[in-house]
Amino acid sequence: QVQLVESGGGLVQPGGSLRLSCLASASGIIFRTNAMAWYRQAPGKERELVATITSGGSTIYVDSVKGRFTISRDNAKKTVYLQMSSLKPEDTAVYYCTILAGGRPSGYWGQGTQVTVSS
């Protein structure tokens, strides 16, 4: 069984920064050999992919966050991060992390962490 726990969300003004963390309870082998991803879901919208990172550290970002968000991972700590800067009101959402399997969400999700960008 894999558990994911996100943290680091909060209320921030436009232009501000936040760093999200996702701690995995999976074994070290499972964590470091699988790609990870951050998704987000805004009110009334479908959950959307934000960024992915492979086991080797290669990253992909949705166009709307390129140049502003950075995904990274620390395999020793079994944690994946999402550094968010130059935040915009449209970044407001609940952010979730997941383990990818075959390039798709594995079905393991955390409880999410709320990010609200507002003045």
Side-chain angles (χ1 to χ4, degrees):
Q1 186 71 10
V2 175
Q3 290 186 328
L4 302 167
V5 179
E6 301 95 338
S7 61
L11 173 64
V12 63
Q13 293 186 343
S17 299
L18 283 174
R19 188 177 81 154
L20 307 183
S21 299
C22 172
L23 175 63
S25 67
S27 71
I29 292 176
I30 290 176
F31 182 83
R32 67 175 179 263
T33 58
N34 282 275
M36 300 290 294
W38 283 96
Y39 281 72
R40 66 186 179 186
Q41 187 167 20
K45 295 187 177 181
E46 293 186 354
R47 193 171 296 187
E48 67 168 350
L49 176 66
V50 176
T52 66
I53 185 166
T54 67
S55 58
S58 296
T59 58
I60 295 175
Y61 299 91
V62 67
D63 285 346
S64 59
V65 308
K66 283 180 180 177
R68 301 189 298 121
F69 291 10
T70 302
I71 188 172
S72 61
R73 63 191 298 161
D74 185 331
N75 289 335
K77 296 182 178 179
K78 292 187 286 185
T79 300
V80 62
Y81 304 98
L82 187 68
Q83 178 67 48
M84 306 185 296
S85 59
S86 301
L87 283 162
K88 304 175 181 180
E90 51 264 43
D91 295 318
T92 294
V94 179
Y95 284 71
Y96 301 88
C97 70
T98 188
I99 295 177
L100 297 180
R104 297 183 176 184
S106 59
Y108 293 108
W109 297 95
Q111 82 289 348
T113 186
Q114 176 71 49
V115 172
T116 302
V117 184
S118 175
S119 56

